[in-house]
Amino acid sequence: MATPHIDAQPGDFAPCVLMPGDPRRAQRIAERLMPDAHLVTDVRGMLGFTGTVAGRPLSVMGSGMGQPSLTIYATELFRDFGVERIIRVGTAGGVAPSVQVGDLVVATGAHTDSAMNQARIPGVSFSAVADFHLARAACEAAEREGARPHVGTVISRDHFYLTPEGQTQRLADYGVLAVEMEAAALYGVAAEFGRQALAVLTVSDHLLDHSQNMSAAERETRFDGALRLAVAAAHS
Ligand code: HPA
């Protein structure tokens, strides 16, 4: 049965969904990974595809930007379409000095300034953490291909443009690797439904070091690396 935001039937989605923010990136990922990919939903232009990778089913669907948008899609996928795993594949801004543009980040936990997870357990500061087995599978896949992702925490912020003075430096002091806008909510929804989630991020810029840059071609190559880790985790 269709849900308010996903016009598909149970069984249209694979148990594992890769989730970029941008729906057109979802289409490019689906076409790149799965010759047999077919469109399963396009409500509000939020494209979702299902196909197979090496004979195993996989879906790819956009989340939109920010925690409210992702939460709507992740909730409906887990609750109504039998999805077991969602792996966010997106971009992030570097925060830690060790992080370079083009690097990969496996986000084992996500701090947030958002109120979304505050509503979950009254009186509790919810810990938004990735599924350990998915994170381990992504790291093992990286090791097999000689890649060296950063592994640790990110910050999922609500504002893209408004940042309290000194906050980014303080996050760097606490070892936070990068900033993005969705992982904390994804980990919260996965906990709510007892399912698995992970974010594998490609660093597209650096908030404290503006000298770093990446060409469009390099960006695609690096993004392919993130996809390989995500698929390995999805099918682990
Ligand atoms: N915030 C700031 N910079 C970024 C982000 C973000 O969410 N994503 C990529 N670069």
Side-chain angles (χ1 to χ4, degrees), residues 3 6 20 27 30 41 49 64 69 74 76 78 86 90 105 109 112 119 123 131 140 167 190 196 202 204 223 231:
T3 56
I6 300 177
Q27 180 161 19
T41 181
F49 300 85
S69 181
E76 293 180 13
F78 284 140
I86 296 179
V105 172
T112 188
D131 180 79
E140 285 173 353
Q167 190 194 73
Q196 296 174 294
T202 309
S204 59
F223 197 74
V231 172

Short mmCIF file of all heavy atoms in Angstrom, two decimals, residues 3 6 20 27 30 41 49 64 69 74 76 78 86 90 105 109 112 119 123 131 140 167 190 196 202 204 223 231:
data_model
loop_
_atom_site.label_atom_id
_atom_site.label_comp_id
_atom_site.label_asym_id
_atom_site.label_seq_id
_atom_site.Cartn_x
_atom_site.Cartn_y
_atom_site.Cartn_z
N THR A 3 2.16 4.95 0.86
CA THR A 3 2.15 5.81 2.05
C THR A 3 2.06 7.26 1.55
O THR A 3 2.15 7.51 0.35
CB THR A 3 3.45 5.58 2.85
OG1 THR A 3 4.56 5.83 1.98
CG2 THR A 3 3.52 4.17 3.40
N ILE A 6 5.45 7.83 -0.35
CA ILE A 6 6.07 6.79 -1.18
C ILE A 6 4.96 6.02 -1.90
O ILE A 6 4.18 5.31 -1.27
CB ILE A 6 6.93 5.82 -0.33
CG1 ILE A 6 8.05 6.60 0.40
CG2 ILE A 6 7.52 4.73 -1.21
CD1 ILE A 6 8.90 5.74 1.34
N PRO A 20 21.05 8.69 -0.78
CA PRO A 20 21.67 10.01 -0.93
C PRO A 20 20.64 11.09 -0.65
O PRO A 20 19.44 10.81 -0.63
CB PRO A 20 22.09 10.01 -2.41
CG PRO A 20 21.06 9.15 -3.08
CD PRO A 20 20.64 8.11 -2.06
N GLN A 27 19.16 8.51 -8.79
CA GLN A 27 19.01 7.96 -10.15
C GLN A 27 20.37 7.60 -10.74
O GLN A 27 20.55 6.52 -11.32
CB GLN A 27 18.31 8.98 -11.04
CG GLN A 27 18.12 8.47 -12.46
CD GLN A 27 17.05 9.24 -13.21
OE1 GLN A 27 16.68 10.35 -12.84
NE2 GLN A 27 16.56 8.64 -14.27
N ALA A 30 21.66 4.48 -9.06
CA ALA A 30 20.92 3.29 -9.52
C ALA A 30 21.41 2.88 -10.91
O ALA A 30 21.65 1.69 -11.17
CB ALA A 30 19.42 3.58 -9.52
N THR A 41 9.16 4.68 -7.02
CA THR A 41 8.34 5.79 -6.51
C THR A 41 8.92 7.11 -6.99
O THR A 41 10.15 7.22 -7.19
CB THR A 41 8.29 5.77 -4.96
OG1 THR A 41 7.46 6.86 -4.51
CG2 THR A 41 9.66 5.90 -4.33
N PHE A 49 14.54 3.69 -6.57
CA PHE A 49 14.79 2.65 -7.58
C PHE A 49 15.11 1.33 -6.89
O PHE A 49 15.69 1.32 -5.81
CB PHE A 49 15.99 3.03 -8.46
CG PHE A 49 15.80 4.32 -9.19
CD1 PHE A 49 16.10 5.53 -8.58
CD2 PHE A 49 15.30 4.34 -10.48
CE1 PHE A 49 15.92 6.74 -9.23
CE2 PHE A 49 15.11 5.54 -11.15
CZ PHE A 49 15.42 6.74 -10.53
N GLY A 64 16.09 13.84 0.47
CA GLY A 64 15.94 15.28 0.62
C GLY A 64 16.97 15.79 1.62
O GLY A 64 17.78 15.01 2.15
N SER A 69 13.10 15.89 6.58
CA SER A 69 12.83 15.21 5.31
C SER A 69 13.28 13.76 5.37
O SER A 69 12.51 12.84 5.06
CB SER A 69 13.54 15.95 4.16
OG SER A 69 13.26 15.32 2.93
N ALA A 74 12.65 7.66 5.85
CA ALA A 74 13.19 6.50 6.58
C ALA A 74 12.09 5.83 7.39
O ALA A 74 12.02 4.60 7.46
CB ALA A 74 14.35 6.95 7.47
N GLU A 76 8.83 5.72 6.76
CA GLU A 76 7.92 4.95 5.91
C GLU A 76 8.61 3.71 5.34
O GLU A 76 7.99 2.64 5.21
CB GLU A 76 7.36 5.87 4.80
CG GLU A 76 6.45 6.95 5.40
CD GLU A 76 5.85 7.91 4.38
OE1 GLU A 76 5.91 7.65 3.17
OE2 GLU A 76 5.32 8.95 4.83
N PHE A 78 11.08 1.91 6.76
CA PHE A 78 11.19 0.89 7.82
C PHE A 78 9.81 0.36 8.22
O PHE A 78 9.61 -0.85 8.37
CB PHE A 78 11.85 1.49 9.06
CG PHE A 78 13.35 1.68 8.97
CD1 PHE A 78 13.94 2.82 9.51
CD2 PHE A 78 14.17 0.73 8.40
CE1 PHE A 78 15.32 3.00 9.47
CE2 PHE A 78 15.56 0.90 8.35
CZ PHE A 78 16.13 2.03 8.89
N ILE A 86 19.25 1.03 6.12
CA ILE A 86 19.39 2.22 5.28
C ILE A 86 20.81 2.75 5.46
O ILE A 86 21.29 2.94 6.59
CB ILE A 86 18.38 3.32 5.65
CG1 ILE A 86 16.95 2.82 5.38
CG2 ILE A 86 18.66 4.60 4.85
CD1 ILE A 86 15.86 3.84 5.74
N GLY A 90 26.33 10.40 1.30
CA GLY A 90 26.18 11.83 1.06
C GLY A 90 27.49 12.56 1.18
O GLY A 90 28.55 11.95 1.33
N VAL A 105 34.31 9.39 5.21
CA VAL A 105 34.02 9.33 6.65
C VAL A 105 32.97 8.26 6.90
O VAL A 105 31.88 8.30 6.29
CB VAL A 105 33.51 10.69 7.16
CG1 VAL A 105 33.03 10.58 8.61
CG2 VAL A 105 34.59 11.76 7.05
N GLY A 109 28.87 7.76 14.91
CA GLY A 109 27.92 8.45 15.78
C GLY A 109 27.69 9.85 15.24
O GLY A 109 28.52 10.37 14.50
N THR A 112 24.16 16.28 17.39
CA THR A 112 23.22 17.12 16.64
C THR A 112 22.78 18.33 17.46
O THR A 112 22.77 18.26 18.70
CB THR A 112 21.99 16.32 16.18
OG1 THR A 112 21.21 17.12 15.30
CG2 THR A 112 21.12 15.87 17.35
N ALA A 119 12.86 14.47 21.24
CA ALA A 119 11.47 14.08 21.45
C ALA A 119 11.33 12.58 21.68
O ALA A 119 10.24 12.09 21.99
CB ALA A 119 10.65 14.51 20.24
N GLY A 123 13.43 13.31 28.80
CA GLY A 123 14.49 13.51 29.78
C GLY A 123 15.83 12.93 29.39
O GLY A 123 16.77 12.98 30.18
N ASP A 131 24.81 1.44 13.25
CA ASP A 131 24.83 0.00 13.53
C ASP A 131 26.27 -0.49 13.45
O ASP A 131 26.96 -0.28 12.45
CB ASP A 131 23.97 -0.74 12.50
CG ASP A 131 23.99 -2.23 12.77
OD1 ASP A 131 23.27 -2.67 13.67
OD2 ASP A 131 24.77 -2.94 12.08
N GLU A 140 35.80 -2.93 6.83
CA GLU A 140 36.49 -4.10 6.27
C GLU A 140 36.58 -4.00 4.75
O GLU A 140 37.60 -4.36 4.16
CB GLU A 140 35.74 -5.38 6.68
CG GLU A 140 35.99 -5.74 8.14
CD GLU A 140 35.14 -6.90 8.65
OE1 GLU A 140 34.24 -7.38 7.90
OE2 GLU A 140 35.37 -7.32 9.81
N GLN A 167 31.58 27.41 17.33
CA GLN A 167 31.08 26.03 17.49
C GLN A 167 31.90 25.03 16.67
O GLN A 167 32.21 23.93 17.14
CB GLN A 167 29.60 25.93 17.08
CG GLN A 167 28.99 24.60 17.46
CD GLN A 167 27.66 24.35 16.78
OE1 GLN A 167 27.60 24.08 15.58
NE2 GLN A 167 26.58 24.47 17.54
N ALA A 190 16.23 4.51 12.92
CA ALA A 190 16.63 3.09 12.92
C ALA A 190 16.45 2.51 14.33
O ALA A 190 15.94 1.39 14.49
CB ALA A 190 18.07 2.94 12.45
N GLN A 196 18.75 -1.23 11.08
CA GLN A 196 20.17 -0.90 10.99
C GLN A 196 20.40 0.32 10.09
O GLN A 196 19.76 0.43 9.03
CB GLN A 196 20.94 -2.08 10.42
CG GLN A 196 20.90 -3.31 11.32
CD GLN A 196 21.55 -4.49 10.64
OE1 GLN A 196 21.05 -4.99 9.64
NE2 GLN A 196 22.67 -4.93 11.18
N THR A 202 31.28 11.53 1.84
CA THR A 202 32.43 12.03 1.08
C THR A 202 32.62 13.50 1.44
O THR A 202 31.66 14.27 1.40
CB THR A 202 32.17 11.90 -0.44
OG1 THR A 202 31.76 10.57 -0.73
CG2 THR A 202 33.43 12.22 -1.23
N SER A 204 33.26 17.13 0.86
CA SER A 204 33.18 17.96 -0.35
C SER A 204 33.85 19.31 -0.17
O SER A 204 34.14 20.00 -1.16
CB SER A 204 31.71 18.17 -0.72
OG SER A 204 31.02 18.80 0.35
N PHE A 223 33.33 9.70 -4.73
CA PHE A 223 31.98 9.27 -4.39
C PHE A 223 31.80 7.78 -4.73
O PHE A 223 31.13 7.05 -3.99
CB PHE A 223 30.95 10.13 -5.12
CG PHE A 223 29.58 10.02 -4.53
CD1 PHE A 223 29.28 10.64 -3.32
CD2 PHE A 223 28.58 9.27 -5.14
CE1 PHE A 223 28.02 10.52 -2.75
CE2 PHE A 223 27.34 9.15 -4.58
CZ PHE A 223 27.05 9.77 -3.38
N VAL A 231 27.73 -0.35 -0.50
CA VAL A 231 27.16 -1.59 -1.05
C VAL A 231 27.68 -2.79 -0.26
O VAL A 231 26.93 -3.71 0.07
CB VAL A 231 27.48 -1.73 -2.56
CG1 VAL A 231 27.06 -3.11 -3.06
CG2 VAL A 231 26.77 -0.63 -3.35
#
